[in-house]
Amino acid sequence: MLSKRRFIGIASASLVLGIGLWMSLYFTAAPTARPGDMPNARIDQVAPHTIVSPRPLAQAADLTGSVRRLIDAANQGDAQSAYQASVLLEQCWIVDFMAGPSTDRTENAEVSATQTDFTRQQSALRAQCKNIPAAIRADRFRLVHIAAQAHIPGAANAFARIGPPAGVDALQTQPDDPGVSTWKQEAENFLKEAASSGDLESMNALSSSYQMGLYTQRDPLAALTYAYAYARRQQMLNDSPISPGYARLLDTLSRGLSAEQQRLAQERGSTIAAASPLPRP
């Protein structure tokens, strides 16, 4: 059975291999805008698909107030604010998940003196997250759904990453539950729409899901198709050949498929990659 930790590790796979350790995306200092330096700790300036690191969040004076303001804006129809709020709330979920019950303790001076920056960042963020009511933290499902419906960049991947409201375990324990089935169909649709808009993370997520049956049915042809879409889009963006590592992944995904199926995957992948214009330099 697919465990919760295993699902989380797979569902936001790395852009290169499709099965990377996703949590590193959250705990790398972002070079873009810092919410702690902005009025009301807003993150409006963060570039699409940028994951906000806990370091600036830990510097925000009032994380709970910032989340509430974003939710208020979301309830007034601001889908971008809905996405921003869901990102902040998801980070709270992440640091709690990573900490586990054994680290929920008061830290003394000796422990603090030996902490790494990484651990201190988590501790600072966790302390702020504890002030956010449980009902607000659970609202991340509704908020990311609003953002994904509005095609906010990054929201499709966040929707798939967060999982259904019943919890990621429900994908295994309640696969035929109507709510879970609806969520899986929406996740697939949101990711396909984002992939058609040139989003590399969505192409990668779909390839991984079709390969392993995360929130879609297993489909080797579709897995290879979106892997080719990702590779071709990278070529278009960087004007460079496919890396040897990714070429090996394509070879792996091609196994078991006929020559005609492989040709079809390349053709469809190229169409998906070229469906949206390249960003201006």
Side-chain angles (χ1 to χ4, degrees):
M1 179 175 291
L2 188 66
S3 68
K4 182 182 294 185
R5 186 177 296 273
R6 176 64 173 160
F7 173 84
I8 293 168
I10 294 173
S12 36
S14 69
L15 293 179
V16 177
L17 297 178
I19 319 174
L21 294 175
W22 65 279
M23 286 179 287
S24 64
L25 294 174
Y26 290 86
F27 296 102
T28 301
T32 50
R34 297 167 62 88
D37 297 336
M38 299 181 189
N40 299 328
R42 294 290 294 263
I43 55 175
D44 305 67
Q45 303 301 316
V46 176
H49 314 304
T50 297
I51 301 298
V52 185
S53 74
R55 181 171 300 193
L57 294 182
Q59 296 173 355
D62 180 13
L63 181 60
T64 302
S66 298
V67 170
R68 287 185 184 275
R69 284 187 287 273
L70 288 169
I71 291 176
D72 287 344
N75 291 337
Q76 296 298 316
D78 185 350
Q80 182 66 41
S81 290
Y83 176 57
Q84 292 165 359
S86 74
V87 168
L88 299 183
L89 293 172
E90 185 186 8
Q91 288 191 331
C92 285
W93 185 89
I94 291 166
V95 293
D96 283 348
F97 179 84
M98 292 183 69
S102 62
T103 58
D104 186 14
R105 62 180 184 272
T106 302
E107 297 164 357
N108 57 37
E110 292 183 2
V111 174
S112 297
T114 59
Q115 282 183 317
T116 63
D117 287 341
F118 175 78
T119 303
R120 284 195 293 269
Q121 290 166 22
Q122 290 184 71
S123 298
L125 178 57
R126 195 179 307 118
Q128 293 188 66
C129 290
K130 286 181 178 179
N131 296 322
I132 300 177
I136 291 180
R137 294 177 67 164
D139 204 24
R140 68 184 186 275
F141 299 103
R142 180 184 70 90
L143 294 165
V144 75
H145 188 261
I146 291 172
Q149 284 184 312
H151 310 292
I152 299 299
N157 291 283
F159 182 86
R161 189 173 58 240
I162 287 175
V168 294
D169 287 341
L171 295 173
Q172 292 293 313
T173 61
Q174 307 172 49
D176 298 322
D177 178 82
V180 173
S181 297
T182 297
W183 177 88
K184 288 194 291 187
Q185 187 61 63
E186 286 189 306
E188 182 179 14
N189 291 341
F190 288 149
L191 288 170
K192 282 184 174 180
E193 291 170 359
S196 296
S197 298
D199 181 58
L200 290 168
E201 292 182 31
S202 295
M203 296 174 191
N204 184 73
L206 283 166
S207 180
S208 296
S209 184
Y210 285 125
Q211 180 188 9
M212 292 175 279
L214 300 177
Y215 26 79
T216 62
Q217 295 294 321
R218 292 178 184 269
D219 187 335
L221 178 58
L224 183 60
T225 293
Y226 279 98
Y228 269 118
Y230 174 86
R232 180 58 183 144
R233 187 71 178 182
Q234 282 279 38
Q235 285 182 301
M236 294 167 65
L237 289 169
N238 302 320
D239 192 24
S240 61
I242 298 174
S243 70
Y246 206 84
R248 287 193 293 272
L249 174 62
L250 292 173
D251 180 65
T252 298
L253 294 176
S254 297
R255 294 171 188 170
L257 297 177
S258 67
E260 175 60 21
Q261 287 176 312
Q262 293 178 41
R263 184 200 64 78
L264 188 60
Q266 292 186 46
E267 180 180 295
R268 290 176 177 175
S270 295
T271 299
I272 293 169
S276 63
L278 295 175
R280 294 181 179 179

